[in-house]
Amino acid sequence: MAFTNPDNDKRRQILVDAKTIAVVGCSNKPDRTSYMIAAAMQHAGYRIIPVNPVIAGQTVLGETVLGSLLDIHEPVDIVNVFRRSEETLPVAEDAVKMEHKPKVFWLQEGVYNEAAASLAAEHGIEVIMDHCIKVDHAILVPRNR
């Protein structure tokens, strides 16, 4: 059976309930999409945990960048992934091994990987693919979140 994203109501509820978002592939460059979306979500009230092994230890948006999802030792609601589709399976493998398993594995717009989605879903993690979290938030979540 082909993958189907959760409907608008389910995605709205995910965004309303979430408090913490780990952003895999978060850049330290303000002109990069991953930075802009992380900043927008932080501005909307979410705690952002940047994850990027290339810049681990640096600070992005006031948060220390971690090298891996496995370096996170607190609950995370959403793992938001900014990686090429073919690079997302290892991210899903780390997500299912996290100390506190995330509720949602969210692949950004243009990112789609059935194997990564299957692995996350098999471990009870909701999967959203090929959707921009910022766009969904703007459309689905009332302004008074």
Side-chain angles (χ1 to χ4, degrees):
M1 186 168 147
F3 175 83
T4 304
N5 277 311
D7 66 19
N8 287 354
D9 289 337
K10 177 68 175 174
R11 293 195 323 277
R12 176 185 303 108
Q13 197 59 54
I14 287 167
L15 291 166
V16 167
D17 293 343
K19 292 176 180 38
T20 304
I21 303 171
V23 182
V24 177
C26 190
S27 177
N28 59 353
K29 297 176 176 129
D31 63 332
R32 294 284 176 93
T33 304
S34 62
Y35 182 99
M36 289 186 275
I37 291 174
M41 298 309 288
Q42 186 182 61
H43 182 73
Y46 297 93
R47 165 123 191 273
I48 299 299
I49 301 175
V51 178
N52 185 332
V54 176
I55 58 171
Q58 293 183 27
T59 301
V60 172
L61 298 168
E63 298 283 350
T64 301
V65 181
L66 301 179
S68 164
L69 288 173
L70 300 178
D71 295 331
I72 300 173
H73 303 293
E74 63 186 272
V76 168
D77 297 300
I78 300 171
V79 170
N80 185 218
V81 184
F82 287 88
R83 303 289 298 150
R84 290 186 180 124
S85 296
E86 63 272 14
E87 297 172 356
T88 58
L89 182 56
V91 180
E93 290 168 346
D94 282 354
V96 303
K97 294 177 194 169
M98 288 174 71
E99 184 177 331
H100 301 277
K101 189 168 52 177
K103 296 173 186 162
V104 180
F105 187 71
W106 192 309
L107 302 183
Q108 273 300 124
E109 187 172 355
V111 184
Y112 190 91
N113 186 309
E114 289 271 355
S118 292
L119 178 64
E122 287 167 11
H123 286 84
I125 301 171
E126 186 82 51
V127 177
I128 299 167
M129 295 196 287
D130 192 24
H131 266 261
C132 177
I133 196 169
K134 179 182 178 290
V135 170
D136 268 14
H137 186 269
I139 294 169
L140 300 174
V141 178
R143 296 232 186 254
N144 61 355
R145 175 189 184 279

